[in-house]
Amino acid sequence: MGNLAEQPKQQPALAELDYLLQRYRQVRATSEVICAPLQIEDYVIQSMPDVSPPKWHLAHVSWFFEAFLLKPYLSGYKPLNAAYDHLFNSYYETHGTPFPRAKRGLISRPGVEDVYRFRQHIDRAMGELLVNPPQQHAGEIMRRVELGLQHEQQHQELLLMDIKHILAQNPLHPVYRDDLRPTPALHNDRIRWHDYAGGVRHIGHAGSGFAFDCEMPRHRQFIEDFQLADRPVSNREYLSFIADGGYARSELWLSDGWAHIQQCGWHSPLYWQRQEDSWHEMTLGGLRPLDLEAPVCHVSFFEADAYARWAGARLPREAEWEVAAMDQPQRGNFLENDHLQPVAANTPHEGPAQLFGDVWEWTADAYRPYPGFRPLEGSLGEYNGKFMSGQMVLRGGCCATPEAHIRATYRNFFQPSMRWQFAGLRLAREL
């Protein structure tokens, strides 16, 4: 949820509105570029309950603008289809009754063309609203548009996650884009450790710029002296864990994790396949030989935690990760780099590498509210706060995250068994 409550209330200038309209068009176009390589059948598949069909993503992010901007603020606005308010509401119970998430793949109608028509309807209306917003609501409109754009950027990453999972179910190993080329192989040095002094530190978002409500308020937190690895764990290193019986040694696993891998039969990260004497992985560029030096990806919190224990280390705490990242340049392998796959770090490097981009990094902390956290009133308050149970925090963004969407204070969250997101790990240990 965005930092809507703390933004100034002055009326926006015409230049600000014009910039926001241009940004709106750019973000909206990116979602459609992501979907352009899909065949029509790809748009409608729901490969598991946590995956949404690409068609649904395109409609839902449009619904968001309709529900929270066009209906309350554009005089005379008429929905293209009133039923879409039910079909494409994700989880806003205070707004209405959402269509069940696990059944989104059953919505064959409206068709893909109808969904794109819905997007065009929304875009025309949003253009009208931003060209001439009602002045008494102009500031709030700008804040909600920014939230809607950040929301759509989240779904751009989700689109790529879900498309990858959908295509990976097909034994023909279909390619999402055949112009995605493997990066040149780089050799990783052994992990180096960076020392950080403990003490009372401040974490959380402060100052200007957008942030979700779960990143606030900024607050004090005591940390002990610690060390952080200079890069994420690589595929080569994770293979050593597998070769040493990592998935068969109960002493390495949390109880829930051990029960989960037994039930699911996990023996390697998601999308890895053993072919003859070598490992391959399914990527958005098709089935490829495993890049041994790239960060390991598509591991659950349970797997990350077990690996860290095997390596004689642990996962970083959320505050530790943020302390290490706050002074580092926000450079990395993001959506705009167009690899759509984690790549090995360039060596040598000063300070921890790849804190931003490539893979989301699991932390040791549960997703809970910061001291003094308050969600906004109304339906928009459901954006983050209601999920602060049973989830673990990830940090740093990934190869499918838009670069402008990430920052050192950003808190992503997933349930500990989930691994279809671009998630990896970095080691930490006590000093």
Side-chain angles (χ1 to χ4, degrees):
M1 184 56 222
N3 182 6
L4 304 181
E6 297 183 7
Q7 296 293 328
K9 301 296 185 180
Q10 66 266 24
Q11 297 301 322
L14 290 176
E16 293 179 276
L17 289 167
D18 183 64
Y19 170 78
L20 192 60
L21 179 57
Q22 296 305 314
R23 179 164 141 69
Y24 173 88
R25 289 169 175 164
Q26 182 273 322
V27 170
R28 296 282 285 170
T30 298
S31 300
E32 298 188 11
V33 168
I34 289 172
C35 291
L38 299 178
Q39 295 187 15
I40 202 71
E41 292 83 1
D42 299 328
Y43 279 92
V44 300
I45 293 176
Q46 185 172 24
S47 50
M48 67 172 176
D50 293 314
V51 162
S52 295
K55 179 182 72 172
W56 186 90
H57 284 289
L58 291 175
H60 166 68
V61 292
S62 302
W63 166 90
F64 189 94
F65 288 107
E66 181 176 74
F68 298 120
L69 279 146
L70 296 175
K71 287 183 176 179
Y73 297 120
L74 182 60
S75 177
Y77 173 75
K78 295 182 179 179
L80 184 65
N81 187 323
Y84 291 177
D85 192 60
H86 168 59
L87 285 179
F88 302 124
N89 179 358
S90 55
Y91 51 72
Y92 293 87
E93 302 281 353
T94 58
H95 175 83
T97 304
F99 187 83
R101 178 176 182 174
K103 295 184 177 181
R104 291 171 184 169
L106 302 179
I107 305 174
S108 61
R109 309 287 178 86
V112 175
E113 289 185 3
D114 294 321
V115 166
Y116 277 103
R117 193 175 298 115
F118 177 45
R119 287 180 66 85
Q120 293 165 5
H121 177 80
I122 296 300
D123 290 345
R124 284 192 297 268
M126 284 297 299
E128 181 181 345
L129 178 65
L130 290 178
V131 166
N132 187 27
Q135 285 304 301
Q136 69 271 32
H137 300 300
E140 180 64 16
I141 287 169
M142 287 191 68
R143 290 185 284 274
R144 291 192 180 199
V145 170
E146 182 58 43
L147 177 60
L149 295 178
Q150 297 284 339
H151 170 254
E152 184 143 350
Q153 288 181 311
Q154 287 180 315
H155 278 268
Q156 289 166 358
E157 181 176 322
L158 285 165
L159 267 166
L160 289 164
M161 288 164 44
D162 289 359
I163 289 167
K164 184 172 184 177
H165 194 271
I166 287 166
L167 296 181
Q169 309 314 305
N170 190 327
L172 300 179
H173 305 126
V175 174
Y176 162 67
R177 275 180 45 195
D178 58 12
D179 61 338
L180 295 173
R181 305 299 180 199
T183 56
L186 298 169
H187 178 70
N188 273 323
D189 295 333
R190 294 184 64 180
I191 281 179
R192 296 178 298 162
W193 295 90
H194 294 272
D195 297 352
Y196 295 88
V200 176
R201 309 298 291 270
H202 285 82
I203 67 167
H205 180 78
S208 61
F210 178 87
F212 290 108
D213 61 354
C214 63
E215 300 172 51
M216 298 179 287
R218 190 164 178 82
H219 61 284
R220 293 170 298 174
Q221 189 159 336
F222 182 81
I223 59 172
E224 300 285 355
D225 298 346
F226 71 98
Q227 292 183 313
L228 193 68
D230 70 325
R231 59 170 173 80
V233 171
S234 69
N235 287 322
R236 184 188 299 276
E237 290 159 341
Y238 200 86
L239 277 170
S240 297
F241 167 71
I242 295 174
D244 196 38
Y247 281 86
R249 295 171 55 182
S250 61
E251 71 272 16
L252 298 176
W253 295 80
L254 296 170
S255 178
D256 286 348
W258 180 250
H260 191 83
I261 68 166
Q262 297 304 302
Q263 179 182 357
C264 298
W266 289 356
H267 301 289
S268 63
L270 183 63
Y271 303 131
W272 284 26
Q273 296 185 24
R274 184 78 173 172
Q275 293 194 346
E276 296 179 353
D277 293 329
S278 62
W279 283 97
H280 290 65
E281 64 176 331
M282 184 65 180
T283 73
L284 287 165
L287 192 65
R288 294 178 179 173
L290 186 66
D291 180 351
L292 296 178
E293 307 305 332
V296 66
C297 191
H298 297 297
V299 292
S300 66
F301 169 82
F302 292 138
E303 291 164 294
D305 180 80
Y307 177 92
R309 191 170 290 108
W310 172 82
R314 59 173 174 81
L315 297 178
R317 298 181 180 92
E318 185 177 7
E320 293 171 342
W321 191 98
E322 187 169 321
V323 165
M326 63 177 55
D327 295 326
Q328 293 297 312
Q330 193 172 302
R331 296 193 298 266
N333 171 25
F334 294 106
L335 173 66
E336 292 82 358
N337 297 87
D338 208 32
H339 296 305
L340 305 187
Q341 183 72 10
V343 300
N346 290 319
T347 54
H349 46 262
E350 295 294 330
Q354 296 176 293
L355 282 166
F356 298 100
D358 282 300
V359 291
W360 287 102
E361 299 181 8
W362 287 107
T363 73
D365 286 334
Y367 178 56
R368 294 292 295 146
Y370 284 161
F373 168 78
R374 288 182 178 86
L376 294 183
E377 296 180 359
S379 295
L380 286 175
E382 295 190 65
Y383 200 103
N384 282 316
K386 65 192 289 181
F387 299 109
M388 291 177 170
S389 173
Q391 318 256 10
M392 303 301 291
V393 173
L394 303 93
R395 292 295 196 116
C398 73
C399 57
T401 306
E403 184 172 7
H405 184 65
I406 201 67
R407 58 202 154 268
T409 60
Y410 195 112
R411 307 174 77 201
N412 199 359
F413 53 92
F414 282 95
Q415 293 172 351
S417 62
M418 291 181 172
R419 59 180 190 164
W420 96 107
Q421 71 276 20
F422 291 88
L425 74 146
R426 182 186 303 264
L427 297 177
R429 62 188 185 187
E430 318 299 342
L431 260 177

